[in-house]
Amino acid sequence: MVFLYGIFSIFPMIPEELLESHNALRKKYVKGDIIFREGDLPSQYFQIILGEVKMCNFNDDGREFTQGFFHPKQSFGEPPLFLNRVYPANAIAVSDCELFVLSKPLFLDLIQKNTSVSLSIIENLAQRLHYKSVMAAEISSQEPEHRLLKLIDYSIKFFKTEKETQGYRIDLTRQQMADLTGLRVETVIRAIKALEKKSEIKIINRKVYR
Amino acid sequence: MVFLYGIFSIFPMIPEELLESHNALRKKYVKGDIIFREGDLPSQYFQIILGEVKMCNFNDDGREFTQGFFHPKQSFGEPPLFLNRVYPANAIAVSDCELFVLSKPLFLDLIQKNTSVSLSIIENLAQRLHYKSVMAAEISSQEPEHRLLKLIDYSIKFFKTEKETQGYRIDLTRQQMADLTGLRVETVIRAIKALEKKSEIKIINRKVYR
DNA sequence: TTCGGATTATGATTTGAGTCATAAAGCAGA
DNA sequence: TCTGCTTTATGACTCAAATCATAATCCGAA
């Protein structure tokens, strides 16, 4: 039973064979490419083969808010596809990427014929909803340090993090942390230092360890 | 095809007949009752028959953050049930409520035997993820007035709102708006007045109309 | 009808994150 | 090795939301 596993990143959203047998295309993007834009009407299902994608918003004065990062085997942008609504954010290739792209009709056909895929999708959406719930409560009310610590702990579970002898290395720049929490870079830098002083984290060679 | 409809509140998550045929219990709660607590491990599926439920967090100094309100025919608290994780927030009866309660094994049995239910669940989760994405971007960066306007517009679609001759009446107290946006009551009161001055909303008899 | 709690309202004051300016350090590419 | 760009760093200053205090209004229950 797929529900017993919580760490969705281990399981591909949809198995590669299944995607290929449904004529999904492999499409390449270079770093910085915009995969879709906020306001676009979805017409395709995307699943990452290689590389990293972020979803983000830009507000009136150009500031960015990062909704999340997505990694190989993960899909992104399905909620509006299911709801028949426009994307609430942009999808941008953070690094060079290769993606499976499947048209909406073929995608709907696929999930109707493969019930276990529905369960993967449910699990994946549940996962993302969980992240958003946790972060929403933090972002709304807490002090910067608290906010960052929550992000760090969460990113250990769900973003790219490697366990080293010093602890988990957080592979996020100060700017990325700022965009994920809604803080400014300077505030992040100062808060990170304060957290180090309190021994909540370590800073080695400018990298954050926890 | 269920995916064509975006407004999930019209459709019961799971049809009542189906719940009853799977021996779901009807359980009553009085206003203020805690249905489950942050940190509890889920063991049941909940669907509202009557009344209103909110999910919320309390931080260290007692301040509340409201994750969302749920109404008849909607379910709540499934993500952690699927993920086998503890609840990230509390569920509290806002008014006297009657709920369908179904044990996890029976619930999993139900959705596996009724594939169309999976699709409803996907749509429902997609819906909630969409709300969270939109609000997250707002809450993180925008000024109070912008934040509140977004909440108001969103609540017209998804919370209890009635269309009257003056416009849509927002049935949220200033405190509830504060808890949903992470602002303080006083700030909400002042921002609401500022929005009225700019003719973005109307205040009639203390109620907000849009 | 009265009473008490919740809600809305308003002013004065504080505070801490944002902003601005500037610079050092690291890093990739020529 | 030099150059230019990104990232990290730090201090000074600003300002708006939070905080604190106080009160009027509304509303349901006794």
Side-chain angles (χ1 to χ4, degrees):
Chain A
M1 185 70 199
V2 71
F3 290 143
L4 296 180
Y5 307 96
I7 302 138
F8 67 92
S9 52
I10 291 175
F11 301 95
M13 267 290 288
I14 300 181
E16 304 213 346
E17 315 83 69
L18 203 51
L19 283 166
E20 278 171 340
S21 69
H22 278 74
N23 301 313
L25 298 175
R26 283 164 180 269
K27 212 166 159 189
K28 293 192 178 186
Y29 295 83
V30 303
K31 181 176 174 174
D33 274 358
I34 296 175
I35 298 159
F36 55 72
R37 287 193 149 81
E38 179 176 353
D40 286 353
L41 205 56
S43 62
Q44 281 148 334
Y45 169 83
F46 295 97
Q47 183 172 316
I48 303 175
I49 301 166
L50 279 175
E52 193 182 10
V53 171
K54 76 172 168 187
M55 289 202 54
C56 61
N57 298 96
F58 298 100
N59 66 14
D60 314 322
D61 36 274
R63 289 228 325 119
E64 176 179 333
F65 176 75
T66 306
Q67 294 282 352
F69 289 100
F70 298 86
H71 300 98
K73 298 183 179 175
Q74 297 185 307
S75 65
F76 57 90
E78 322 91 278
L81 186 68
F82 289 128
L83 300 171
N84 217 26
R85 286 215 232 143
V86 299
Y87 287 116
N90 307 281
I92 299 177
V94 176
S95 61
D96 290 354
C97 287
E98 189 174 2
L99 309 181
F100 277 120
V101 181
L102 190 61
S103 76
K104 183 171 175 175
L106 290 176
F107 171 62
L108 293 182
D109 182 57
L110 186 156
I111 59 174
Q112 283 189 314
K113 287 182 183 155
N114 298 273
T115 50
S116 75
V117 169
S118 306
L119 301 187
S120 300
I121 292 176
I122 288 176
E123 191 180 352
N124 184 286
L125 294 179
Q127 182 65 69
R128 280 148 67 182
L129 200 48
H130 190 266
Y131 166 77
K132 293 253 179 248
S133 299
V134 171
M135 288 310 292
E138 290 303 314
I139 285 178
S140 79
S141 54
Q142 303 289 347
E143 324 81 71
E145 292 178 30
H146 205 277
R147 238 149 124 169
L148 280 164
L149 215 47
K150 205 79 174 192
L151 172 70
I152 287 168
D153 286 342
Y154 221 101
S155 80
I156 287 173
K157 287 193 205 158
F158 303 112
F159 296 165
K160 38 164 188 185
T161 26
E162 278 168 51
K163 171 112 189 188
E164 299 186 357
T165 50
Q166 300 90 346
Y168 289 96
R169 191 185 73 235
I170 313 300
D171 271 337
L172 294 169
T173 67
R174 310 287 191 272
Q175 183 63 60
Q176 288 175 325
M177 294 188 215
D179 293 340
L180 283 160
T181 53
L183 299 166
R184 315 290 144 160
V185 209
E186 300 95 324
T187 306
V188 170
I189 290 169
R190 290 187 246 254
I192 287 288
K193 297 215 156 174
L195 284 170
E196 191 199 20
K197 202 160 281 175
K198 292 175 187 167
S199 308
E200 294 282 2
I201 57 172
K202 276 180 251 176
I203 304 179
I204 302 168
N205 204 13
R206 294 175 150 206
K207 289 267 170 218
V208 176
Y209 291 81
R210 164 96 172 160
Chain B
M1 185 71 200
V2 70
F3 289 143
L4 297 179
Y5 307 96
I7 302 137
F8 68 91
S9 53
I10 291 175
F11 300 94
M13 269 290 289
I14 301 181
E16 302 213 346
E17 316 82 69
L18 202 52
L19 282 166
E20 278 171 340
S21 70
H22 277 73
N23 300 313
L25 296 175
R26 283 165 181 268
K27 213 168 158 186
K28 292 192 179 185
Y29 295 83
V30 302
K31 181 177 173 172
D33 274 357
I34 297 175
I35 297 158
F36 55 72
R37 288 193 151 78
E38 180 176 353
D40 286 353
L41 204 56
S43 62
Q44 280 149 335
Y45 168 82
F46 295 97
Q47 183 171 316
I48 302 175
I49 302 167
L50 280 174
E52 192 181 12
V53 172
K54 75 173 170 187
M55 290 202 54
C56 60
N57 297 96
F58 298 100
N59 66 13
D60 314 323
D61 36 274
R63 288 224 329 117
E64 176 179 333
F65 176 75
T66 305
Q67 295 281 352
F69 289 100
F70 297 87
H71 300 97
K73 300 184 178 175
Q74 296 185 307
S75 65
F76 56 90
E78 322 91 277
L81 185 67
F82 288 127
L83 300 170
N84 217 26
R85 285 215 233 143
V86 299
Y87 287 115
N90 306 282
I92 300 178
V94 175
S95 61
D96 290 354
C97 287
E98 189 175 1
L99 308 181
F100 276 119
V101 180
L102 190 61
S103 75
K104 182 170 175 175
L106 289 176
F107 170 63
L108 294 182
D109 182 55
L110 187 156
I111 59 174
Q112 283 190 313
K113 288 182 183 156
N114 299 272
T115 50
S116 74
V117 169
S118 306
L119 301 186
S120 300
I121 291 176
I122 287 176
E123 191 181 352
N124 184 286
L125 294 179
Q127 181 65 68
R128 279 148 69 182
L129 200 48
H130 190 265
Y131 167 77
K132 293 252 178 249
S133 299
V134 171
M135 289 308 294
E138 289 303 315
I139 286 179
S140 79
S141 54
Q142 304 289 346
E143 325 81 71
E145 292 178 30
H146 205 278
R147 240 150 121 168
L148 280 165
L149 216 46
K150 204 80 173 190
L151 171 70
I152 287 169
D153 285 342
Y154 222 101
S155 81
I156 286 173
K157 287 193 206 159
F158 303 111
F159 295 166
K160 38 165 188 185
T161 26
E162 278 168 51
K163 171 114 187 188
E164 300 186 357
T165 50
Q166 300 90 345
Y168 289 95
R169 193 186 71 235
I170 313 301
D171 271 336
L172 294 169
T173 66
R174 309 289 191 273
Q175 183 62 61
Q176 287 174 327
M177 295 187 214
D179 293 340
L180 282 160
T181 53
L183 299 167
R184 315 289 146 162
V185 209
E186 300 94 324
T187 306
V188 170
I189 289 168
R190 291 187 245 253
I192 287 288
K193 298 213 158 175
L195 284 171
E196 192 199 20
K197 202 161 282 176
K198 292 175 187 168
S199 309
E200 293 282 0
I201 56 171
K202 277 180 250 174
I203 305 179
I204 301 167
N205 204 15
R206 292 174 151 206
K207 288 269 169 216
V208 175
Y209 291 82
R210 164 97 170 160

